[in-house]
Amino acid sequence: IESYLIAELGDRRYGELIIDPEPLGAASLAQVHRAVRKSDGLELVLKIQYPGVADAIDSDLSLVAQMMRLARVVPQTREFEEWLEEVRMMMHREVNYPQEMETTRLFHEHLKNDKRYVVPKIYPDYSTEKVIAMSYEHGVPINSNAIMTLSQERRNRLAEASLEICCREVFEWGEMQTDPNFGNYLVRLGDGSENHPDRIVLLDFGAVRDFPDDLLALARNLTRAAFHRDMEAMLECMKDHPFFQSIPLDVRTGLAELFFLAIEPFSDMSGAPPDALTADGRYIWAKANLHNRVMARAAKSAATRHFTVPPKELMFISRKFVGAYTFMTVIDAQIQSRQMLAGFLDRQ
């Protein structure tokens, strides 16, 4: 990839850097190399898009869609076409580096005064349409032994910070990083004190998307109704949305019960397994098995003949929270989250 990088940066800018030939990471769309600026020792990472990737997205997805149609593995409906188009748009966002640089700057601005988080700084002098130059931010993986050997309270604080980001994305910013891949996060270990806390390093903003106001209002109102376990309010929220209008009342009621279950850690925990609560009422994510219980309930709802594909935006929000819930389980979080969510609901 060296010759490609020289062509992107030009000889002068390339010559200002010492670049590690071994990538820090590599994926299907890009690879990342660590670099040092010769003049001042500034540590950078260069995210380099593979040549030709952006041009191949449309043709590759069209081929996949054709194979799926021939194999009849999915129903050929308008919803399928909308999902396919959404995947196409998502892939194009992933390779739109000017947009990713802008969303990275945006989240950096959102979180710059909160010492629980680190967002890389963009260096435009070494960035192009196909290369993003960012500050190198050290940390350890979420699922590393270094995290699992932290005290329970330190892991709990990381868990709370992670959930708070999700809430702020939905209730404050209206923009969400929709890829919950663990590779998009690191933890910079402090000493656990208030002045030097463990910090979550947020790395990848290629999958950030915003949501229309009406859908955000729906998500917030559904959350509020689920928080209070208010079936009447839940069904009232549903009645004006085309997706919910298309299914009968008993199925809508089943979906409401699914929402009630999904919000269990933030609301009424009476249905949690007996061993999933500490003596002082904290939710033990690893013992609650919530993500599996939610998936089982969702599969039951999907089994009805009245089921249709949910709006793609709601599915992205759901996917993000499934990732957050997995994060909670992996680090064995034991926290009380009701007050956190209540604070966001009170602002709406």
Side-chain angles (χ1 to χ4, degrees):
I1 208 166
E2 182 181 26
S3 60
Y4 178 66
L5 183 58
I6 294 173
E8 282 293 310
L9 295 183
D11 290 334
R12 181 185 61 79
R13 286 189 296 171
Y14 181 84
E16 293 173 0
L17 304 174
I18 300 172
I19 302 172
D20 189 338
E22 292 296 323
L24 285 173
S28 56
L29 303 179
Q31 66 189 46
V32 177
H33 287 259
R34 190 171 179 178
V36 175
R37 188 161 62 186
K38 296 175 183 177
S39 62
D40 58 4
L42 176 69
E43 293 183 294
L44 303 170
V45 291
L46 302 175
K47 181 178 179 180
I48 308 161
Q49 188 178 125
Y50 290 128
V53 163
D55 297 331
I57 290 174
D58 290 337
S59 59
D60 284 0
L61 280 177
S62 295
L63 179 59
V64 170
Q66 183 179 357
M67 293 169 61
M68 294 176 75
R69 292 188 184 100
L70 290 173
R72 300 182 182 276
V73 296
V74 295
Q76 304 304 305
T77 62
R78 178 177 58 84
E79 289 84 3
F80 169 72
E81 296 298 331
E82 289 179 354
W83 267 98
L84 186 64
E85 182 59 25
E86 181 63 28
V87 171
R88 188 187 310 276
M89 291 173 61
M90 181 176 68
M91 295 293 289
H92 279 291
R93 281 196 297 270
E94 287 274 2
V95 297
N96 186 341
Y97 280 9
Q99 179 176 302
E100 181 174 346
M101 286 187 277
E102 188 57 37
T103 53
T104 304
R105 291 189 192 100
L106 179 66
F107 273 73
H108 188 279
E109 187 67 21
H110 284 325
L111 297 169
K112 65 181 181 180
N113 296 321
D114 195 326
K115 56 189 176 185
R116 295 173 297 169
Y117 310 101
V118 177
V119 177
K121 179 181 178 182
I122 297 293
Y123 288 91
D125 287 350
Y126 302 101
S127 299
T128 73
E129 293 282 330
K130 306 297 182 184
V131 177
I132 304 178
M134 297 169 282
S135 56
Y136 173 75
E137 305 294 349
H138 65 84
V140 297
I142 294 296
N143 55 352
S144 67
N145 188 58
I147 300 299
M148 298 312 301
T149 54
L150 294 176
S151 70
Q152 185 67 60
E153 289 307 311
R154 288 175 70 176
R155 281 183 282 122
N156 288 349
R157 284 194 286 272
L158 286 170
E160 290 166 352
S162 175
L163 286 178
E164 187 173 317
I165 283 282
C166 296
C167 291
R168 293 188 71 182
E169 288 175 331
V170 174
F171 289 97
E172 288 185 11
W173 304 331
E175 295 184 298
M176 178 177 286
Q177 208 284 47
T178 57
D179 183 1
N181 187 328
F182 277 10
N184 292 339
Y185 306 91
L186 295 172
V187 174
R188 181 175 300 172
L189 296 174
D191 59 15
S193 68
E194 184 176 342
N195 291 328
H196 297 94
D198 303 313
R199 308 175 72 186
I200 298 176
V201 182
L202 307 171
L203 292 176
D204 192 324
F205 296 91
V208 172
R209 60 164 299 161
D210 54 7
F211 295 90
D213 291 340
D214 60 336
L215 194 81
L216 285 170
L218 174 65
R220 292 162 182 167
N221 289 334
L222 289 173
T223 302
R224 180 178 290 102
F227 179 81
H228 295 293
R229 295 192 66 83
D230 187 334
M231 179 63 76
E232 182 178 350
M234 180 73 76
L235 296 177
E236 182 69 21
C237 292
M238 293 178 175
K239 73 177 186 179
D240 294 328
H241 195 281
F243 167 67
F244 297 111
Q245 290 172 350
S246 67
I247 55 181
L249 179 61
D250 62 323
V251 179
R252 274 180 272 164
T253 303
L255 287 174
E257 294 289 348
L258 174 61
F259 288 138
F260 291 161
L261 174 61
I263 208 169
E264 175 183 272
F266 303 91
S267 180
D268 182 0
M269 296 188 288
S270 62
D275 63 345
L277 296 176
T278 64
D280 59 353
R282 292 186 293 177
Y283 194 80
I284 307 175
W285 285 82
K287 292 184 177 180
N289 195 30
L290 180 62
H291 52 293
N292 286 332
R293 288 189 287 135
V294 168
M295 293 302 291
R297 179 71 65 87
K300 184 178 179 180
S301 297
T304 173
R305 65 185 178 89
H306 300 289
F307 177 80
T308 59
V309 178
K312 55 186 181 298
E313 296 90 353
L314 284 179
M315 293 296 286
F316 274 113
I317 294 174
S318 300
R319 177 172 176 252
K320 175 60 177 278
F321 277 86
V322 168
Y325 285 13
T326 305
F327 180 106
M328 300 297 108
T329 302
V330 167
I331 68 172
D332 190 21
Q334 299 179 19
I335 56 177
Q336 292 176 322
S337 305
R338 182 182 179 89
Q339 186 175 356
M340 176 195 299
L341 182 56
F344 285 97
L345 293 175
D346 288 344
R347 303 177 199 173
Q348 303 299 312

